Amino acid sequence: MTTPTLGTPVPDFSLAATAGLTFRLSDFQEKANVVLYFYPKDSTPGCTTEGQDFRDAYTEFQAADTVVFGISRDSLKSHENFKAKQAFPFELLADVDEIACKLFDVIKLKNMYGKQVLGIERSTFLIDKQGMLRHEWRKVSVKAHVAAVLAAVQALV
């Protein structure tokens, strides 16, 4: 599959989600905009802050007909603990096989403690109700990011 570009349809995919659910992108077609935010690791400082920011703005996303999902390569068990500890009102998707990570091309070579490792580059994607990629944010800095995503969502309405 080729990485979707702005204004093109995002191929359907499914991933295991918290709460015993299965996420399918096609389930939201015609019903809601979808925000997918990719983050490196559960319970790390930047990822916790980003999740809390999405949590705190969640009712505003809902008011704009938008659902939010966090995605990392962590296990469902790790996601369940992270979600419960932070009281996230949205589900987390376990991409242990890097299906969505590869689709959205977010696995990048990163420096960690002087070593080169492959990891998730913090990125967010906004998909409209027709399944089209409307906005993407790559190499995300957590501060003020959720406000920018919310503004883009509200501009779709």
Side-chain angles (χ1 to χ4, degrees), residues 37-41 47 50 70-74 79 93 95-96 98 100-102 105-110 112 117-125 139:
Y37 79 93
F38 290 81
Y39 63 95
K41 188 125 183 75
C47 299
E50 184 178 27
I71 305 176
S72 80
R73 299 183 298 179
D74 294 300
H79 277 349
L93 310 181
D95 195 10
V96 293
E98 299 179 353
C101 288
K102 287 176 180 164
D105 191 29
V106 298
I107 301 289
K108 303 293 181 188
L109 206 53
K110 300 161 78 172
M112 191 167 285
V117 296
L118 283 173
I120 291 179
E121 177 181 83
R122 194 180 307 278
S123 307
T124 302
F125 301 88
K139 296 182 183 176

Side-chain angles (χ1 to χ4, degrees), residues 123-137:
S123 307
T124 302
F125 301 88
L126 170 57
I127 302 159
D128 70 14
K129 292 178 184 179
Q130 286 69 49
M132 304 292 239
L133 181 62
R134 295 297 298 268
H135 218 295
E136 65 180 21
W137 295 263

Side-chain angles (χ1 to χ4, degrees), residues 2-71:
T2 57
T3 302
T5 55
L6 290 178
T8 67
V10 177
D12 195 23
F13 66 94
S14 63
L15 291 174
T18 47
L21 301 173
T22 298
F23 167 90
R24 268 183 211 81
L25 183 60
S26 58
D27 289 348
F28 297 95
Q29 195 129 5
E30 305 297 326
K31 295 181 189 131
N33 302 307
V34 177
V35 168
L36 300 175
Y37 79 93
F38 290 81
Y39 63 95
K41 188 125 183 75
D42 288 344
S43 302
T44 56
C47 299
T48 299
T49 299
E50 184 178 27
Q52 290 169 338
D53 290 350
F54 274 110
R55 175 197 66 202
D56 295 347
Y58 192 68
T59 54
E60 293 170 84
F61 280 101
Q62 284 184 306
D65 268 349
T66 303
V67 291
V68 174
F69 295 93
I71 305 176

Side-chain angles (χ1 to χ4, degrees), residues 79-99:
H79 277 349
E80 292 288 4
N81 292 337
F82 186 40
K83 180 185 171 202
K85 188 174 181 185
Q86 300 302 327
F88 292 155
F90 50 83
E91 305 306 331
L92 300 177
L93 310 181
D95 195 10
V96 293
D97 296 323
E98 299 179 353
I99 293 164

